Amino acid sequence: MAFSWSRVAPLCLVVLALAVAIVGQNYAAPPPLTPALGVCVLAGVWLLWRGTGSKAGGGQRTFGGLLRHYAAVKAVRWLGERQRRKLEADARNVTQVQEETLLKRLRKNANTCYGKQYDFRSMNGSGGFRAHHPVTTYEHYRELIGRVAAGEDKVLIAEEPSLLAVTSGTSGPSAVLLSTEDTNRDFFLQGVAVCLDAMHEAFPATNSLQRTTKFFYTPALRRSESGIPIGTNSSTPSSSRHVLHLYTTPAPALEVPGEKEALYLHLLFALKDPSVGTLESNFASTIFYAFIALQNHWQELVDDIEQGKVSSALALDPRLRARLEALMKPDPQRAAQLRAHFQNGFRGIAKQLWPQLNLVLAVDSGSNQIYGEMLRESYCRGVPFYSPFYAATEGLIGVNLWPQESSRRYVLCPRSMFCEFLPETSLEDASPHTLLMEEVVEGQNYELVITNASGLYRYRIGDIVKVVGFHHKCPIVEFQYRRGQMLNVRGEKVSELLFLGALKKAVGQWPPAQLVDYCCAESGIMGDSIGGSDPHYQVFLELKGVRNLTEEQRYKLDICLQQDSAVYKSFRIKGSIGPMRVQLVAEGAFRELQTQMMASSNTSPNTFKMHRVLHRREDAHFLLGKTIS
């Protein structure tokens, strides 16, 4: 049943006033308490009405849904303020907090097979731990995690893992790591709660009761031989079941297993609600491709809203379809509004569809940087963006306390992980020496080495970060690149950040071209398909606005990279590296590649990140087959 505050709130006040009068007549003792109680009740209802009715943002909402939303906002706000105060205190006392975090992990897991092997019980600080435990990579844990998956207890951690978490595989084959309740609790308390506090402070309008459209999907879970779930470690509909009333997508739609069908339903129910306040997803790429789908299917979506149905083209279970169609009512007025907006074009369409849209909430740093830029320039023009977390399958790493800044800076969370820093100049050393939080230098690049709550000890996660400052005494970092995502055919080591900068400069010289997506492959993985030549980069681009590039335009990219990388330029001058080969691929090629890569790696749409350097020959050949120029 739809609920209207303007009609019901006065009635509530009248009913409560009558109730107070009755209480006053039938319960005379003690007389002074009854009027006071009545005044308190009336004041409480008035405050509740002001707090919910004034923030509901329009749209048809049920009374119960509004109250649950109001309670959730208030509870999270209180928790966020509390956790923010804790982070501020920890940031002033980083050395002690890091020692406490490490010792907590070591003592909890001292009686495991691994803890006994490295004598965790005898370690009383980071000095002894670093002296006796090596810096590790995934190969160090592969066999141990296999034993956990088979059902062996207390191998790496004291408790049973809640999930065998599959990584996104951007630096090579997907790995399987352990995830625990401690990891999830830390992520929520130290990450989600703190970021929501920062968000509400920076964007007060998000403190309203407008609903959020969250693009997330139900992943396909497998089971290990001992029954432990295997899947991606991210926000999913099942992990968010207690707060689904905050989202525009109804619960039945979140049961749909297919990404294509689920995305259509996310868009359908978002379009029905003109008062959406936030667009949210783990990564900006998910929101970008949602708008691509909207641009391709808006007529079908508008027809569904106009007629109050769900498209017959969707492959849905008949019972699930019936539940969804029960939520649809013909709305020709909303359909007419939407049709008019779409016919006016898609530049800035988000604000046209949802005039009260306050925020896009998604990570848009690292490999998602280009998607954030494209959204800001096109579909979501005029809408603020907030990139809240720096996190990985290994757990929460940092939080962004500066939502309104254009740079994506993250203060490290000292109670989430014990962090060490490997200087960029020492990445190839056989026995590298690491630094602690209090020892790093502003302006320098480091690889992160972490000890977490899920059985990883002094583990190189492959992320290179730059220390850009300190919050009190805690390092603030910017993500730079993944070690496994470097182009390196002759030892030149061109990072993703460096290549993207050159690519954006080149595209700027190809008007009216707009970059949609890109990736590269080293010529060595291409085999005989490209013929014999000097080692070089094979570059695949999806562009808007052009269908062809001249040879001179293609060569611009090579020149731009030479301007930005002296090492690459020296190899080009000597002829050790050949000129880039730039291929334009068909529209939608990268979306198809994403589907293929997810299928081969068991990665979920919730966690997928496009690989900027391809390592599998079949992926490079797939794009080669999509070449149009």
Side-chain angles (χ1 to χ4, degrees), residues 600-620:
S600 66
S601 63
N602 293 308
T603 304
S604 160
N606 298 321
T607 59
F608 180 82
K609 290 176 284 199
M610 179 53 68
H611 302 197
R612 298 306 175 196
V613 178
L614 299 177
H615 295 288
R616 296 187 342 135
R617 180 173 295 182
E618 50 265 53
D619 294 333

Side-chain angles (χ1 to χ4, degrees), residues 193-483:
V194 171
C195 287
L196 287 177
D197 179 68
M199 180 184 78
H200 290 146
E201 187 176 319
F203 308 107
T206 60
N207 201 29
S208 73
L209 299 187
Q210 295 168 261
R211 285 186 294 191
T212 293
T213 293
K214 182 166 183 176
F215 295 98
F216 62 162
Y217 304 91
T218 298
L221 290 178
R222 297 173 288 135
R223 295 273 175 178
S224 74
E225 52 204 288
S226 64
I228 304 172
I230 304 173
T232 53
N233 189 15
S234 68
S235 173
T236 64
S238 61
S239 68
S240 307
R241 61 188 179 278
H242 299 302
V243 292
L244 292 183
H245 58 279
L246 306 181
Y247 303 131
T248 54
T249 307
L254 298 171
E255 298 173 20
V256 175
E259 182 192 356
K260 178 184 174 183
E261 288 77 14
L263 175 55
Y264 186 95
L265 294 170
H266 279 310
L267 292 170
L268 178 64
F269 286 96
L271 292 173
K272 277 171 52 65
D273 187 346
S275 62
V276 170
T278 302
L279 300 179
E280 179 184 352
S281 189
N282 289 343
F283 300 118
S285 58
T286 308
I287 297 177
F288 174 74
Y289 279 111
F291 274 100
I292 293 287
L294 178 60
Q295 193 163 0
N296 291 333
H297 300 287
W298 70 264
Q299 292 172 311
E300 192 176 352
L301 287 157
V302 171
D303 287 346
D304 282 356
I305 290 170
E306 186 172 50
Q307 300 170 35
K309 64 180 180 65
V310 175
S311 172
S312 59
L314 299 186
L316 298 174
D317 177 86
R319 288 171 296 181
L320 185 57
R321 176 180 290 278
R323 291 167 62 196
L324 290 168
E325 293 199 327
L327 300 171
M328 297 291 295
K329 297 289 185 290
D331 192 347
Q333 183 178 357
R334 177 62 175 162
Q337 292 172 349
L338 293 170
R339 193 172 282 116
H341 292 319
F342 289 130
Q343 289 171 346
N344 285 333
F346 277 76
R347 189 175 178 84
I349 190 67
K351 265 292 192 180
Q352 299 299 312
L353 301 175
W354 305 291
Q356 300 174 62
L357 186 65
N358 304 309
L359 189 66
V360 175
L361 182 63
V363 172
D364 63 355
S365 54
S367 61
N368 275 271
Q369 179 184 339
I370 63 168
Y371 304 115
E373 291 173 353
M374 287 188 291
L375 285 168
R376 281 188 288 272
E377 292 169 4
S378 56
Y379 302 116
C380 297
R381 194 174 182 83
V383 184
F385 277 63
Y386 178 31
S387 182
F389 310 118
Y390 173 24
T393 305
E394 293 84 355
L396 175 69
I397 301 171
V399 291
N400 180 0
L401 299 181
W402 307 276
Q404 292 176 306
E405 292 191 5
S406 57
S407 60
R408 300 316 190 209
R409 304 186 298 146
Y410 305 92
V411 62
L412 299 179
C413 298
R415 287 198 187 274
S416 177
M417 298 178 177
F418 175 73
C419 292
E420 299 173 67
F421 301 81
L422 184 57
E424 190 178 34
T425 54
S426 305
L427 296 182
E428 305 302 328
D429 290 0
S431 301
H433 173 70
T434 60
L435 303 176
L436 300 179
M437 277 195 185
E438 64 271 21
E439 297 173 325
V440 296
V441 177
E442 184 174 345
Q444 297 299 306
N445 286 0
Y446 303 91
E447 181 180 358
L448 282 173
V449 178
I450 59 99
T451 297
N452 70 0
S454 304
L456 297 176
Y457 305 93
R458 306 198 74 200
Y459 179 70
R460 297 176 68 164
I461 66 173
D463 284 5
I464 309 300
V465 299
K466 182 177 184 177
V467 176
V468 295
F470 293 86
H471 184 62
H472 306 307
K473 296 181 179 179
C474 194
I476 302 168
V477 302
E478 286 182 356
F479 177 87
Q480 300 296 295
Y481 61 91
R482 293 278 294 164
R483 284 192 70 202

Side-chain angles (χ1 to χ4, degrees), residues 43-233:
V45 171
W46 178 77
L47 287 171
L48 181 62
W49 170 64
R50 188 182 69 169
T52 55
S54 63
K55 296 179 180 181
Q60 296 297 303
R61 306 287 295 278
T62 65
F63 177 60
L66 273 173
L67 287 181
R68 289 197 303 274
H69 197 150
Y70 180 78
V73 167
K74 289 297 182 184
V76 170
R77 191 70 198 269
W78 172 83
L79 182 63
E81 291 172 353
R82 178 172 175 268
Q83 291 300 126
R84 176 67 180 268
R85 288 194 296 270
K86 283 188 174 183
L87 176 60
E88 295 292 336
D90 289 346
R92 291 183 173 92
N93 194 19
V94 162
T95 301
Q96 180 181 330
V97 171
Q98 279 279 276
E99 290 288 321
E100 291 172 358
T101 301
L102 174 63
L103 290 175
K104 178 182 177 182
R105 308 292 188 230
L106 298 180
R107 287 167 181 164
K108 183 171 183 177
N109 298 317
N111 288 326
T112 62
C113 297
Y114 195 85
K116 291 174 182 176
Q117 178 184 348
Y118 285 96
D119 197 15
F120 284 175
R121 190 174 296 281
S122 69
M123 295 179 183
N124 55 14
S126 62
F129 174 63
R130 294 163 74 202
H132 293 95
H133 193 289
V135 173
T136 62
T137 62
Y138 183 68
E139 287 306 313
H140 182 82
Y141 301 94
R142 186 184 298 274
E143 183 267 334
L144 296 166
I145 291 173
R147 287 163 56 186
V148 175
E152 186 175 342
D153 292 333
K154 296 187 177 180
V155 178
L156 281 164
I157 54 176
E159 73 266 48
E160 182 178 327
S162 57
L163 180 75
L164 295 173
V166 180
T167 67
S168 59
T170 49
S171 297
S174 293
V176 177
L177 303 175
L178 307 182
S179 182
T180 66
E181 293 302 327
D182 281 353
T183 309
N184 297 332
R185 184 168 55 250
D186 287 346
F187 190 90
F188 178 75
L189 293 176
Q190 299 179 45
V192 174
V194 171
C195 287
L196 287 177
D197 179 68
M199 180 184 78
H200 290 146
E201 187 176 319
F203 308 107
T206 60
N207 201 29
S208 73
L209 299 187
Q210 295 168 261
R211 285 186 294 191
T212 293
T213 293
K214 182 166 183 176
F215 295 98
F216 62 162
Y217 304 91
T218 298
L221 290 178
R222 297 173 288 135
R223 295 273 175 178
S224 74
E225 52 204 288
S226 64
I228 304 172
I230 304 173
T232 53
N233 189 15

